[in-house]
Amino acid sequence: MTLTELKYIVAVARQKHFGHAAEACFVAQPTLSVAIKKLEDELGVTIFERGGLEVSMTPLGAQIVAQAERVLEQTAAIKEIAKQNKDPLAGPFRLGVIYTVGPYLLPTLVKSMIERVPQMPLVLQENFTVKLMELLRQGELDAAIMALPLPDQGLMVQPLYDEPFVVALPKDHAWAERENVSAEELKSETMLLLGNGHCFRDQVLEVCPEMSRFSTAGDGIARTFEGSSLETIRHMVASGIGITVLPIASVPDMGAKDGMLRYLPFSSPAPDRRVVIAWRKSFTRQAAIEAIRQAVMSCDLPGVTILDEAPMVQ
């Protein structure tokens, strides 16, 4: 039994597909399949039920995979323990960031980190929340900046900032000169939302439930369109296709009147999201986490409320 084989069975359990698991592990599918069959033969058990469109675990296989996840996490902890006598701020730091935070936080964050701790370069990855959580569990990332709520438990989480949502409109929209707008009013508009997989989409639907009621009778959103990124959606709004909801850090100037867009705050209480940094409980470079948190606090993020709260277990 090898750690590589344990990594393979965990990947298959998560992906529910041998081919996708092989891609996630950066190996050929035959290599992964042979290694898993070898482990099953060694243990004398069947871990996965083959056949059909989706691979499933046997009841015993589920127990084995759960133990394999613990072993891999403890293996990562051993590597971290070995670094304890070294400078926790020396060496690369692998940081994940969700797509709807990265473009607006990273430019100033990276600059601040270079000035504060040049000996700790950031290795960055933007991705969906679910994928970043998986990479954290596998030890492929040291920490990730995401928004609550998280779909998994057992991670250390420290709040960074609260970020209100705002409405983006074409400059000639009937609401363009208003001071604010309520979530209730959005249901009659053509809404542009991020596609499935983006946590910001789910957050918007949660705080603005009017958006999730589809109806052609005026009871919900009249029409909706989905985009792949906030910037794509912003350009679609500017062209007059509809309106959207954005996190305020993505808005360069709330009061701008010379462009193709207008931005309106929500009436009180304004919906928002809490952005946090998350890491494994076994991760030992706490000084590195604190360095990133301090750098975030120094970033110019218009409209957000910086938080200074203690870490907690999510």
Side-chain angles (χ1 to χ4, degrees):
M1 185 186 307
T2 67
L3 291 175
T4 298
E5 291 168 350
L6 297 184
K7 181 179 179 180
Y8 289 169
I9 64 172
V10 168
V12 172
R14 289 173 175 167
Q15 299 289 340
K16 295 182 172 56
H17 190 282
F18 279 85
H20 296 163
E23 292 176 5
C25 295
F26 303 103
V27 297
Q29 181 174 338
T31 300
L32 179 138
S33 298
V34 168
I36 292 177
K37 185 62 169 63
K38 173 179 172 292
L39 178 60
E40 289 179 320
D41 290 343
E42 177 183 344
L43 297 176
V45 300
T46 299
I47 299 175
F48 298 106
E49 296 178 353
R50 280 78 165 175
L53 297 177
E54 195 173 85
V55 175
S56 60
M57 291 181 286
T58 63
L60 182 57
Q63 297 180 48
I64 292 172
V65 168
Q67 183 63 36
E69 289 177 324
R70 290 190 286 269
V71 170
L72 292 174
E73 185 172 347
Q74 290 302 312
T75 302
I78 291 173
K79 295 179 181 179
E80 295 299 332
I81 290 171
K83 298 177 183 177
Q84 284 184 349
N85 292 328
K86 301 178 181 179
D87 181 0
L89 298 179
F93 189 96
R94 301 166 299 173
L95 180 67
V97 186
I98 56 175
Y99 288 119
T100 57
V101 167
Y104 317 110
L105 173 64
L106 289 180
T108 51
L109 176 61
V110 170
K111 182 178 179 181
S112 179
M113 290 295 292
I114 291 173
E115 294 172 350
R116 291 166 176 265
V117 280
Q119 73 274 30
M120 191 179 82
L122 295 179
V123 180
L124 301 170
Q125 177 168 157
E126 288 184 277
N127 219 311
F128 297 110
T129 297
V130 171
K131 182 61 177 179
L132 294 179
M133 299 282 286
E134 178 183 335
L135 294 174
L136 272 177
R137 291 294 189 194
Q138 294 175 347
E140 299 295 324
L141 288 176
D142 297 320
I145 295 176
M146 301 174 285
L148 297 181
L150 300 180
D152 206 352
Q153 304 294 317
L155 292 173
M156 294 301 298
V157 169
Q158 188 162 17
L160 296 174
Y161 56 86
D162 286 339
E163 182 176 26
F165 300 160
V166 299
V167 178
L169 317 161
K171 67 176 183 178
D172 56 355
H173 193 279
W175 298 346
E177 300 303 320
R178 290 180 53 174
E179 293 185 0
N180 55 55
V181 65
S182 69
E184 173 70 19
E185 294 175 282
L186 300 181
K187 67 181 183 181
S188 62
E189 295 293 313
T190 298
M191 293 300 304
L192 308 179
L193 301 175
L194 287 172
N196 288 322
H198 289 275
C199 64
F200 183 69
R201 171 195 173 91
D202 299 331
Q203 292 154 8
V204 171
L205 291 177
E206 180 178 351
V207 297
C208 305
E210 289 77 9
M211 294 186 186
S212 62
R213 297 201 300 269
F214 293 87
S215 171
T216 57
D219 187 38
I221 301 174
R223 291 169 294 170
T224 62
F225 295 93
E226 294 183 356
S228 59
S229 73
L230 290 181
E231 294 312 304
T232 298
I233 289 175
R234 196 194 306 266
H235 286 293
M236 293 172 71
V237 172
S239 69
I241 295 175
I243 70 174
T244 194
V245 174
L246 298 173
I248 199 169
S250 70
V251 177
D253 182 1
M254 279 290 292
K257 297 285 187 180
D258 56 349
M260 301 295 292
L261 294 170
R262 298 290 182 268
Y263 300 102
L264 289 179
F266 279 93
S267 54
S268 183
D272 64 0
R273 65 176 177 178
R274 175 156 293 187
V275 176
V276 302
I277 184 168
W279 64 94
R280 297 181 304 280
K281 288 188 289 186
S282 59
F283 187 64
T284 60
R285 294 176 66 185
Q286 297 304 309
I289 298 289
E290 179 60 18
I292 292 174
R293 191 181 73 86
Q294 291 293 333
V296 171
M297 293 177 69
S298 72
C299 291
D300 181 18
L301 296 172
V304 311
T305 301
I306 298 294
L307 303 173
D308 189 9
E309 299 184 12
M312 59 184 177
V313 179
Q314 171 66 28

